[in-house]
Amino acid sequence: MTAAQISALLPLLVLSGGIVVLLIVVAWLRSGAVAFLGALVVLAATIAVTPLALGAGTQDIDGLLEIDGYALFFHGLVAFAAVATAVLSYRYLKPRAAHAQEFYILLLVATLGAVVTAATDHFAGFLLGIEVLSISLYAMIAYPQEGRGPLEAAAKYLVLSGAGTSTMLFGMALIYVVTGTLEFVPAGEVGRNEQLLLAVGQAMLLIGVFFKLSLVPFHMWTPDVYQGAPAPVTGFVATVSKAAVFAVLMRYALAVGVVDAEVLRNVIVVVAVLSMIAGNFLALLQINIKRLLAYSSIAHMGYLLIAVVVAATPEVRSFGVETALVYLAGYVLMTLAAFGVVTVLSNADEDAEELTAYDGLFWRRPVLAAVLAAAALSLAGIPLTVGFIAKFYLVAAGVDGAAWILVWALIVGSAIGIYYYLRIVFAMTKRPEAETQAPPVAWEGVVSVVVLGASIIVLGVFPSPVVDFVRALGGP
Amino acid sequence: MILAVVLLLLVAGVLAWASERFVGANAPRVVSLLAFAVGLAWTISEWLGGPAATGLYAAQHIEWIPRFGISVALSMDGLSLLMVALTMFLGIIAVVSSWDEIESGHGFFQFNILWVMAGVVGVFTAMDLFLFFFFWEVMLIPMYFLIAIWGHENKGYASMKFFLFTQISGLLMLLAILALVFVHFRAGGEITFSYKDLLAADIDPGIAMWLMLGFFAAFATKLPSVPVHTWLPDAHTQAPTAGSVILAGILLKTGAYGLIRIAVPLFPEASLDFSFWAMLLGVVSILYGGFMAFSQSDFKRLVAYSSIAHMGFILIGVYAFNEVGLQGAVVTMVAHGFSTAALFMMAGALQHRLHTREMSRMGGLWVHAPRMGVMTLFFVVASVGMPGLGNFVGEFLALLGAFGKNVPLAVAATVGIVVAAVYGLYLMQRSFQGTPNPDVAAMPDFGARDMSVMILMAGALVWVGVYPQPVLDLAGATIATLMP
């Protein structure tokens, strides 16, 4: 292994080494605070060494991993989301779990799984990463000791995500039969029967991915899991697992040319349109903010598929990748901010998940309300927020790639979406009938959501740094 | 300097919000008033200073997102200057008119007013289509809050409707902007959102029509024109007085400004092909708005519908495709800003005193409040289009322009003036004239503050009505460059 390969692997090595060290430390010191701080140190270290890895250029590690700018972007994004999740979980878990040490280790392992998923161009790495991620998530969802919700959500996630993985695995096997390799490579010239086999395999792989991305019609598990899972974990599921799976989908689609096949392209377009329309429509009916955000995330994943379809055209390829990265960065920020506010407002007994819990928040907690308003308006794609830049990118990419059906679906979907995002904002502006004393909230949670909210606004007004950074990374 | 003025309003908004907590409940109003006064003084000084050799009173260009050729390009020519001056003036009016109306949240209220106006100033001066869209949307959220928080009984419905209509039509405009940019890019140009560069873009006529319709949808919704007007009666009626003043006085004008500055110059041929339909929509708006106004029992709603009718004159003026018609549209924009803002202030003052907007619960109010009666009569007559006042000049020129383009439509639009007289006098009759309503015991008349604002606006209307030349000169210089 060359020095360049080692420096490219450094973020992954630091992360996995950190997990081992923390496991040992926690075995001696059964303290939640130590585990929490340890996890933060590990995450900070892995982010800190990422520039070194970027300097090493694209490195192929034994055919299993492909460490390039694209993979390292996701590494940074996922680690950032993990930091926010850890900070938000600390005070949230205290009344819910007597021993919270393992939670932070699970969080690190899930991060590792996500990072591997984003960095692989090989089916073995794909499966490995996605399973490490999912299995940690089951445990994280079921972590609180009390209440049926988390257990139910974890069981549901376990069964459905398992079904998704097995479909995917079957697909991989079929693809392997045709291509004879587990690497992401085009099949080349194959006979008619093999072609059919390959198409079926790729379709099954896509279905598995759609399950993980909770795209319509494979979305049924999403609202229940989002609702039942503890609020900070929901934020993690909504951002990290989505970003990682999307990263590998984009890598595979571009390497193999999935979208070039007419049938599969149509499948993706139909799934995207359905997700945008159905996700937004179903979100209209929700009175539970976690379920509402679940449906909204379905719609956002549908929007994001535009980038996959557009990137298949050679002239628009780099613009499509750039769009996906900018969009995901924005999506992660605003989704974390939204679930962050939900977490901070949750009390020891239950999550602040009913929409009525947000009535008059502007007058009780102006700062938290402002962050949630920024997140909601950003999700709706209103200017001054990063969500607008993200949506601007998608429409631009759609127009440039002449994906008119998808662009129209995006417009219609966003139009519907405005209604329910504004409902959150409107609920917060209601005048309280009586002056109530707001209970105290965790200061570190408030700080982290304020940072998230501020970055939504700052990147919405000055997007150039992120745009230039993403452009310099190059595609997968 | 223009950016500094926009920033002044934005920063003043934050200051106003903060000052409520740290200084007192009165401070936000003062901050807001000062900011608008400084803005107005700056605009007037630029006007008196005269334009540079380029015909611009002020201009600015800063790179923003070089990746897409987006820059903060702001410039102020005659038309922009006129609209910015109107914005600042009505800002002062809006603050004064809501001096006593708001009971809580003074800081956030003034914050929203200042941010709406910052967005409006940006729209009137942006020379980059991305920036234009950016400011177009910046106006939206604070206006939504103004209606949603301080509105009347049905504020949730009205604010949501306002937001949905504007946002959806805005999305169509965004699509049109992006399509225009990429058509230009594909044709060998560079990626740019600069208004000047795109003005020179050579677009296939078939595509141009679609793009023009995208812009037209957004501007016609904001204006509003039939059939996308339905948000307006609700939003205007439910908004607090300052909100109605801003909406009617300024926000509707951004739609008209967009037509004049963007939709027509960017797509002259497509607009010409479309002009019959646009004028038809204008005529329908005039007649329909007039008839609807006549059938209202709510004072504020009546004024709101009358706005739709007045905006119809702007539509026929712009699409008459001659200088006279455009001049008429611009004068109508200014005059309608004053007359309708004053009528909404009156509606707000009546609601404040009587706790109702229903005209059936008014009647003979002149007995109690002669000063209010006189001012209402003045502005009703102005709005009806009496010669010697601003609205007459605007509507006359718009009709004159339309006459040169399409006689039957111009004749039909003229009928609208008769309708206006009917609903205007009907409004006056039901509220201030007639037998005094026995349920109204007594009500305080206008004080010195209200009267001074009213007289200011009345003076402005007389000025535009008797000596419109300065307005025509200011707008004329721009119109000459925009005429296709």
Side-chain angles (χ1 to χ4, degrees):
Chain A
M1 192 170 267
T2 64
Q5 279 179 320
I6 291 188
S7 41
L9 267 182
L10 214 49
L12 266 176
L13 293 175
V14 169
L15 186 55
S16 9
I19 292 171
V20 175
V21 172
L22 199 59
L23 263 177
I24 297 169
V25 169
V26 163
W28 290 96
L29 277 169
R30 300 284 297 166
S31 148
V34 169
F36 168 65
L37 290 175
L40 285 188
V41 169
V42 172
L43 289 169
T46 183
I47 293 173
V49 296
T50 310
L52 281 179
L54 266 177
T58 301
Q59 295 294 335
D60 178 63
I61 314 290
D62 288 345
L64 204 59
L65 294 175
E66 177 89 359
I67 312 283
D68 47 13
Y70 178 80
L72 290 169
F73 172 83
F74 281 100
H75 189 110
L77 194 64
V78 165
F80 172 79
V83 170
T85 308
V87 174
L88 288 167
S89 305
Y90 185 62
R91 217 69 85 79
Y92 177 90
L93 279 180
K94 272 208 168 148
R96 288 176 173 79
H99 302 285
Q101 302 90 333
E102 288 83 2
F103 181 85
Y104 301 103
I105 292 169
L106 285 169
L107 181 70
L108 290 182
V109 175
T111 308
L112 180 66
V115 171
V116 168
T117 312
T120 188
D121 60 347
H122 193 280
F123 282 129
F126 186 172
L127 194 68
L128 195 70
I130 235 167
E131 281 306 274
V132 168
L133 170 63
S134 306
I135 290 169
S136 325
L137 284 179
Y138 308 145
M140 282 167 72
I141 292 172
Y143 212 86
Q145 287 160 337
E146 305 285 328
R148 270 177 35 147
L151 265 186
E152 199 183 309
K156 217 166 227 168
Y157 190 53
L158 174 71
V159 172
L160 286 165
S161 175
T165 309
S166 21
T167 317
M168 223 154 69
L169 197 55
F170 198 173
M172 289 175 189
L174 291 180
I175 294 168
Y176 178 69
V177 166
V178 178
T179 61
T181 170
L182 285 175
E183 282 175 41
F184 292 178
V185 285
E189 286 297 311
V190 288
R192 254 190 80 80
N193 282 345
E194 280 82 8
Q195 246 175 12
L196 189 66
L197 212 54
L198 184 69
V200 172
Q202 287 181 336
M204 291 188 82
L205 183 72
L206 280 183
I207 287 174
V209 169
F210 291 161
F211 251 112
K212 305 272 178 186
L213 288 179
S214 60
L215 288 157
V216 178
F218 311 101
H219 64 286
M220 264 75 108
W221 59 274
T222 320
D224 295 342
V225 171
Y226 275 41
Q227 185 186 4
V233 179
T234 313
F236 191 75
V237 172
T239 53
V240 168
S241 80
K242 296 287 188 302
V245 174
F246 184 83
V248 73
L249 169 67
M250 188 89 167
R251 201 188 274 278
Y252 180 73
L254 288 182
V256 180
V258 171
V259 187
D260 299 342
E262 189 66 29
V263 185
L264 290 179
R265 183 193 158 97
N266 289 343
V267 167
I268 297 179
V269 169
V270 168
V271 166
V273 171
L274 281 179
S275 305
M276 294 184 219
I277 305 294
N280 278 315
F281 256 116
L282 291 169
L284 286 180
L285 312 170
Q286 305 309 318
I287 49 166
N288 179 307
I289 195 164
K290 279 161 115 185
R291 290 184 81 87
L292 187 152
L293 288 170
Y295 282 111
S296 118
S297 84
I298 293 171
H300 278 272
M301 287 303 121
Y303 300 153
L304 205 43
L305 279 187
I306 295 178
V308 178
V309 173
V310 165
T313 319
E315 312 92 73
V316 199
R317 178 180 165 128
S318 66
F319 189 35
V321 174
E322 185 185 335
T323 302
L325 297 189
V326 171
Y327 198 90
L328 272 171
Y331 171 77
V332 165
L333 278 179
M334 54 211 190
T335 307
L336 281 177
F339 281 109
V341 174
V342 175
T343 307
V344 174
L345 286 173
S346 298
N347 58 27
D349 304 320
E350 53 177 3
D351 283 4
E353 55 186 62
E354 297 301 324
L355 211 48
T356 47
Y358 294 83
D359 284 353
L361 194 67
F362 251 112
W363 315 104
R364 273 182 288 140
R365 298 208 164 278
V367 174
L368 288 179
V371 172
L372 187 56
L377 294 174
S378 183
L379 285 164
I382 309 291
L384 284 175
T385 65
V386 71
F388 169 68
I389 302 295
K391 197 154 278 174
F392 169 79
Y393 251 103
L394 271 186
V395 179
V399 170
D400 199 17
W404 295 109
I405 298 175
L406 291 172
V407 172
W408 279 108
L410 170 76
I411 300 274
V412 173
S414 318
I416 305 168
I418 297 160
Y419 181 80
Y420 59 82
Y421 293 124
L422 268 192
R423 248 181 39 180
I424 303 179
V425 178
F426 183 68
M428 294 193 296
T429 63
K430 279 185 195 159
R431 291 226 165 259
E433 266 138 41
E435 286 293 314
T436 45
Q437 201 60 43
V441 291
W443 66 267
E444 76 280 354
V446 175
V447 169
S448 60
V449 295
V450 166
V451 169
L452 289 167
S455 31
I456 288 175
I457 304 292
V458 170
L459 293 181
V461 180
F462 303 107
S464 271
V466 173
V467 169
D468 294 341
F469 177 71
V470 164
R471 268 166 75 77
L473 289 175
Chain B
M1 264 312 269
I2 304 176
L3 187 60
V5 173
V6 175
L7 288 176
L8 165 81
L9 296 182
L10 294 177
V11 172
V14 176
L15 276 182
W17 196 354
S19 70
E20 185 187 15
R21 169 171 290 186
F22 299 109
V23 184
N26 258 326
R29 292 178 279 208
V30 177
V31 172
S32 193
L33 206 54
L34 278 178
F36 286 123
V38 170
L40 186 61
W42 171 78
T43 320
I44 291 173
S45 76
E46 291 287 350
W47 178 40
L48 296 179
T54 49
L56 301 177
Y57 290 86
Q60 209 161 16
H61 192 279
I62 305 166
E63 289 279 307
W64 186 15
I65 310 174
R67 161 79 180 91
F68 290 106
I70 295 168
S71 51
V72 181
L74 297 161
S75 80
M76 194 162 76
D77 58 7
L79 180 60
S80 301
L81 185 128
L82 196 59
M83 298 323 291
V84 172
L86 182 68
T87 308
M88 296 297 181
F89 182 78
L90 284 180
I92 296 175
I93 302 292
V95 175
V96 175
S97 69
S98 58
W99 202 264
D100 294 326
E101 193 191 15
I102 303 306
E103 276 144 24
S104 60
H106 291 278
F108 192 45
F109 184 78
Q110 299 297 343
F111 169 86
N112 284 316
I113 289 189
L114 284 159
W115 277 53
V116 175
M117 294 311 217
V120 172
V121 171
V123 163
F124 285 144
T125 52
M127 281 291 129
D128 180 289
L129 289 188
F130 183 91
L131 189 69
F132 179 85
F133 183 76
F134 184 85
F135 281 128
W136 183 265
E137 301 265 301
V138 166
M139 303 186 297
L140 202 54
I141 307 279
M143 196 63 229
Y144 169 81
F145 278 128
L146 283 179
I147 305 175
I149 299 179
W150 292 276
H152 302 307
E153 64 284 349
N154 204 6
K155 58 192 177 185
Y157 173 75
S159 56
M160 184 65 86
K161 200 167 170 184
F162 161 74
F163 198 98
L164 282 178
F165 268 78
T166 324
Q167 178 65 18
I168 292 171
S169 61
L171 281 172
L172 292 180
M173 174 161 73
L174 177 64
L175 189 59
I177 291 177
L178 280 165
L180 173 65
V181 166
F182 279 98
V183 165
H184 176 65
F185 173 55
R186 282 288 158 84
E190 49 186 331
I191 282 206
T192 178
F193 283 76
S194 156
Y195 172 72
K196 288 217 175 62
D197 294 347
L198 291 173
L199 216 47
D202 189 24
I203 309 157
D204 178 73
I207 300 174
M209 179 55 96
W210 285 107
L211 300 185
M212 191 278 295
L213 286 177
F215 283 99
F216 185 80
F219 299 142
T221 306
K222 198 74 153 194
L223 192 60
S225 151
V226 174
V228 278
H229 63 285
T230 59
W231 63 270
L232 180 134
D234 292 308
H236 278 59
T237 312
Q238 298 301 325
T241 304
S244 307
V245 168
I246 294 175
L247 260 179
I250 289 295
L251 250 59
L252 305 190
K253 290 0 177 246
T254 59
Y257 176 85
L259 288 176
I260 296 173
R261 173 77 70 190
I262 293 183
V264 175
L266 276 180
F267 312 101
E269 285 91 11
S271 300
L272 192 59
D273 290 345
F274 185 68
S275 62
F276 171 76
W277 300 106
M279 285 177 75
L280 186 66
L281 285 179
V283 171
V284 172
S285 298
I286 294 171
L287 296 176
Y288 176 81
F291 282 117
M292 286 306 282
F294 177 67
S295 46
Q296 299 306 314
S297 61
D298 181 316
F299 189 108
K300 222 172 165 184
R301 223 175 156 81
L302 191 155
V303 181
Y305 272 109
S306 81
S307 274
I308 299 177
H310 290 301
M311 292 301 114
F313 285 102
I314 294 184
L315 213 47
I316 61 167
V318 171
Y319 280 91
F321 270 87
N322 50 44
E323 218 168 318
V324 180
L326 268 172
Q327 288 278 24
V330 173
V331 176
T332 305
M333 281 158 78
V334 175
H336 174 264
F338 295 130
S339 65
T340 307
L343 285 176
F344 275 124
M345 274 185 72
M346 198 58 74
L350 285 174
Q351 176 154 26
H352 193 67
R353 287 164 171 76
L354 305 174
H355 305 289
T356 183
R357 299 185 304 265
E358 282 298 314
M359 286 185 288
S360 57
R361 295 176 57 189
M362 300 174 189
L365 297 180
W366 198 299
V367 179
H368 304 294
R371 284 199 288 272
M372 285 174 81
V374 169
M375 290 329 291
T376 311
L377 184 61
F378 179 87
F379 288 108
V380 163
V381 167
S383 164
V384 160
M386 193 170 85
L389 298 173
N391 304 54
F392 170 75
V393 178
E395 282 168 19
F396 177 76
L397 290 177
L399 285 172
L400 198 62
F403 199 78
K405 173 88 181 164
N406 189 323
V407 176
L409 285 179
V411 171
T414 314
V415 175
I417 294 195
V418 181
V419 179
V422 174
Y423 69 70
L425 295 177
Y426 173 75
L427 171 77
M428 196 61 213
Q429 180 68 30
R430 301 257 319 247
S431 54
F432 281 91
Q433 308 268 296
T435 338
N437 190 329
D439 298 339
V440 182
M443 68 176 201
D445 204 350
F446 266 166
R449 192 182 63 230
D450 291 315
M451 274 315 274
S452 57
V453 171
M454 285 287 168
I455 287 169
L456 259 180
M457 289 203 280
L461 274 181
V462 172
W463 182 29
V464 179
V466 177
Y467 183 55
Q469 203 53 42
V471 174
L472 295 179
D473 286 345
L474 265 177
T478 307
I479 287 171
T481 62
L482 293 179
M483 275 306 285

